[in-house]
Structure formats: C-alpha cells, structure tokens
Amino acid sequence: MAQKLERTKVLFICSRNQWRSPTAEQHWRKHPKLLTRSAGTSPNARHTVSVDDIRWADVICVMEEKHQSRLRVQFTRLLSNKPIHVLDIPDDYQFMDPELIELLEQSLAGIIDLN
C-alpha cells in the first residue's frame, strides 16, 4: 500500500484577508505538499484569524511584522510551538498580482521545501 504524503499546513495572514493572504492561499492550493488557508488580523477581515486556524496550522506566514505582533498578543499560548515567518510583503498589490505571486514564491522557498 502506498504511503500517504504528509502535507504541510500553511496559514497565510495579512490585515483584511483581501489581497495578499488569499492570493497566497489560492496560489498554493493545488501544491501536492501543502494545505493552505488564509485569514486577516483585522476585525473587518473577510475571515478573521481564529483559534481553529492557529491550531490547524503547522507553519504561519504573516505578510508584515505588525501581523506577527497582533497574533502574539491575541494567541500567546497557542503560538508557543508554532513557527511564524514574516514575509515582509507590503500591502501594495491586488489579488493574484503576478509581482505579488513572485514575491510569495521567493519568500516561501526559503521557509518550506517545495520540491
């Protein structure tokens, strides 16, 4: 019987879950090594990050330092053993912007082995 490939669960977070994190989720949705979700730190986000999201994730990728700070304040204990990576991607892009996708690919390549 073939061994089932264990997929890494990656949670992408930005402020309003409108452009950056949904682009990341969508871009890697079909990658055989990843399971993806996205959320926002703002109460006005399309999907505000929840306890379930944090528990689900193996790796958390935030777009900016402020997102990591907000998560650490809100989910202190849940984050004690979760790797959080700041991608340093400013809120300058629209959904599925090719330049944004390129930045996301470069950032994630240094965090997760995608080969």
Side-chain angles (χ1 to χ4, degrees):
M1 198 156 115
Q3 187 173 349
K4 185 168 174 15
L5 180 66
E6 192 62 35
R7 295 166 79 183
T8 302
K9 295 181 229 155
V10 185
L11 176 61
F12 295 99
I13 294 178
C14 63
S15 297
R16 295 183 57 225
N17 190 225
Q18 193 168 357
W19 309 123
R20 293 172 291 175
S21 58
T23 295
E25 176 184 16
Q26 184 72 31
H27 182 67
W28 277 294
R29 176 168 274 151
K30 295 200 170 19
H31 195 286
K33 289 190 171 183
L34 303 178
L35 291 172
T36 59
R37 281 189 189 177
S38 68
T41 56
S42 167
N44 300 326
R46 287 186 331 155
H47 171 75
T48 304
V49 64
S50 68
V51 168
D52 285 343
D53 292 325
I54 301 293
R55 285 192 175 128
W56 172 85
D58 296 320
V59 176
I60 299 170
C61 292
V62 298
M63 298 299 155
E64 297 175 65
E65 193 66 51
K66 67 183 179 183
H67 303 128
Q68 175 176 244
S69 301
R70 289 176 189 156
L71 288 180
R72 292 203 183 281
V73 166
Q74 194 175 352
F75 301 104
T76 311
R77 289 183 50 216
L78 279 177
L79 293 169
S80 60
N81 295 316
K82 296 271 180 189
I84 300 178
H85 300 277
V86 180
L87 304 182
D88 283 321
I89 298 177
D91 194 7
D92 297 340
Y93 304 95
Q94 297 292 307
F95 182 66
M96 298 307 280
D97 182 317
E99 195 176 322
L100 172 57
I101 290 170
E102 191 172 312
L103 285 171
L104 288 164
E105 286 179 347
Q106 291 169 0
S107 300
L108 205 62
I111 297 168
I112 298 171
D113 178 14
L114 298 172
N115 297 319

